[in-house]
Amino acid sequence: MSFLKVAEGSDFPIQNLPFGVFSTADNPNHRIGVAIGEQILDLTVVKHLFTGPVLSRKQHVFTQPTLNSFMSLGREAWGEARAVIQRLLSASEPTLRDNKELRKKAFVSQDSATMHLPAEIGDYTDFYSSRQHATNVGIMFRGKDNALMPNWLHLPVGYNGRASSVVVSGTPIRRPMGQMKPDDARDIQKWEYVPLGPFLSKSFGTTISPWVVTMEALLPFVIANPVQDPKPFPYLCSDDPYMFDINLFVSIKGEEMAEKVTICRSNFKNMYWTMKQQLAHHTVNGCNVRPGDLLASGTISGPDPESFGSMLELSWKGTKPIDLGSGHKRTFLQDGDEVILTGFCQGDCYRIGFGECVGKVLLAIQK
């Protein structure tokens, strides 16, 4: 338990401690912090307290404007940092608890902070690792007998995205322009993605949370990997569980709506390919990855209609309007709609949350 008050149901209890990059009105410098309740612990202020065998020689990583340098130190450093931060924030530790002057400098209210991208993202890869999602999309566009492409059960399918258009939560997303085949709903992507995959339909914006939740915080929620048939090649086989019980939600708030409405309730456990398998396949050909690179799971859909993870599925290609209540309906997003993505692991009297991913859809620029 922390000496700081953390509200019940907060995304950021002492068991979580995600890293992020923030600035404030009185200090516009981007700096690294850790979320605890409604506060941010400014690591530039307490960097001198990291005196362990690794970080005592690497305290400078906490003065950088991104997390890349800290990420590059590896698992031993991450574990050491987490242990130090948990100790500093615990109710039994006086270092911060009893030093009012240091506490005043070290803590910033999240309400008064501006969040930024947590890392410089050099490369971005988006996978397609939910079997239910891939099956649903395949049925809509190719029919039930050809829903999954022949390679899908043999390797984690993915495409290289556009790192320059990754934005932090709260950044509006402008609707893309592109060639359209005006026969039905999802026209830009359907027309352009054959034969080399998504291009303009996927390169214009990707929203991420400002908070980086560590794998150590997620380990209490690890579950068995899915049964995979056919058995993958040896480089994709691993006995250690690396699937996680993470509740996922998607909500919409239109400009004409008083409140947001949740339209999807899914779970990360609906993935078919694990994160380790994604990374193994990504690098098996010699492709290198670097600290700060972003790897995404792709849309995660469950077996029930309410767990379908995309508007395409929820409205079944625009044929079944989604009821948002009070007479409001959607088949696809409208200009002015705000989309809110959230996720958390539920523990015993605490939760590990990721913070919100929020983006408002803006009108496309007319050419």
Side-chain angles (χ1 to χ4, degrees):
M1 182 173 292
S2 174
F3 65 83
L4 291 172
K5 183 178 180 180
V6 177
E8 184 178 354
S10 169
D11 274 353
F12 308 127
I14 197 170
Q15 294 91 342
N16 191 350
L17 304 180
F19 293 85
V21 171
F22 73 102
S23 64
T24 51
D26 62 342
N27 183 353
N29 293 323
H30 292 199
R31 51 203 195 272
I32 296 173
V34 169
I36 174 71
E38 299 299 321
Q39 303 291 312
I40 300 173
L41 174 63
D42 187 340
L43 297 190
T44 66
V45 176
V46 297
K47 68 180 187 301
H48 63 284
L49 300 176
F50 291 88
T51 57
V54 178
L55 293 175
S56 60
R57 305 185 304 274
K58 301 290 184 178
Q59 293 174 355
H60 66 278
V61 298
F62 298 122
T63 65
Q64 304 301 305
T66 68
L67 285 165
N68 295 69
S69 294
F70 175 53
M71 289 174 168
S72 71
L73 296 183
R75 188 171 184 176
E76 186 178 1
W78 308 334
E80 186 178 302
R82 178 175 171 81
V84 170
I85 295 166
Q86 279 193 324
R87 177 176 56 80
L88 291 173
L89 294 174
S90 68
S92 59
E93 172 60 42
T95 305
L96 281 174
R97 185 196 65 195
D98 297 345
N99 189 331
K100 291 183 180 180
E101 184 178 349
L102 183 58
R103 281 176 58 180
K104 186 176 180 180
K105 295 178 181 178
F107 290 103
V108 172
S109 170
Q110 290 188 34
D111 288 340
S112 65
T114 299
M115 301 306 299
H116 306 281
L117 284 176
E120 183 179 345
I121 300 170
D123 287 295
Y124 163 46
T125 302
D126 196 8
F127 285 92
Y128 190 43
S129 291
S130 165
R131 182 171 184 170
Q132 188 65 55
H133 173 63
T135 300
N136 289 340
V137 173
I139 290 173
M140 279 185 267
F141 290 109
R142 292 185 298 275
K144 190 173 182 179
D145 293 338
N146 298 300
L148 288 181
M149 298 298 282
N151 64 350
W152 202 94
L153 293 173
H154 295 271
L155 55 87
V157 175
Y159 69 94
N160 291 315
R162 185 71 181 170
S164 64
S165 58
V166 177
V167 295
V168 73
S169 176
T171 306
I173 299 290
R174 190 168 292 281
R175 191 182 294 275
M177 289 291 292
Q179 289 192 24
M180 299 185 180
K181 185 179 181 182
D183 59 351
D184 53 19
R186 201 169 188 173
D187 31 37
I188 293 179
Q189 183 167 336
K190 184 179 179 181
W191 176 235
E192 73 172 6
Y193 88 102
V194 178
L196 295 180
F199 187 44
L200 299 185
S201 61
K202 292 285 191 178
S203 64
F204 61 96
T206 297
T207 302
I208 64 172
S209 166
W211 298 109
V212 178
V213 176
T214 65
M215 297 312 301
E216 286 77 9
L218 296 180
L219 285 179
F221 306 95
V222 71
I223 57 177
N225 296 335
V227 176
Q228 295 178 327
D229 184 21
K231 186 177 181 180
F233 283 8
Y235 77 94
L236 291 171
C237 290
S238 177
D239 293 331
D240 60 318
Y242 216 69
M243 193 59 68
F244 297 87
D245 183 7
I246 308 174
N247 301 292
L248 303 172
F249 305 89
V250 181
S251 301
I252 291 179
K253 184 180 182 300
E255 290 185 323
E256 78 282 17
M257 296 166 57
E259 301 289 341
K260 68 180 182 181
V261 174
T262 299
I263 61 171
C264 169
R265 294 173 173 84
S266 188
N267 194 291
F268 192 81
K269 66 185 178 183
N270 292 318
M271 294 268 283
Y272 184 83
W273 297 103
T274 72
M275 288 183 283
K276 282 188 176 181
Q277 289 176 315
Q278 290 171 347
L279 183 60
H281 184 66
H282 198 313
T283 56
V284 71
N285 68 335
C287 174
N288 61 312
V289 292
R290 295 170 294 188
D293 284 358
L294 178 63
L295 275 63
S297 66
T299 301
I300 303 176
S301 297
D304 306 312
E306 72 164 8
S307 64
F308 291 174
S310 68
M311 296 285 284
L312 179 69
E313 297 164 89
L314 289 166
S315 71
W316 205 255
K317 205 167 60 169
T319 63
K320 299 177 180 179
I322 303 163
D323 187 1
L324 301 179
S326 302
H328 305 300
K329 297 181 183 294
R330 292 289 188 278
T331 51
F332 291 92
L333 294 175
Q334 296 180 4
D335 294 333
D337 283 350
E338 191 172 58
V339 181
I340 304 100
L341 310 180
T342 55
F344 65 85
C345 304
Q346 185 60 56
D348 185 11
C349 299
Y350 74 96
R351 66 170 50 175
I352 302 295
F354 292 77
E356 287 188 335
C357 279
V358 180
K360 187 173 184 178
V361 180
L362 301 182
L363 179 72
I365 296 176
Q366 303 299 317
K367 297 292 187 182

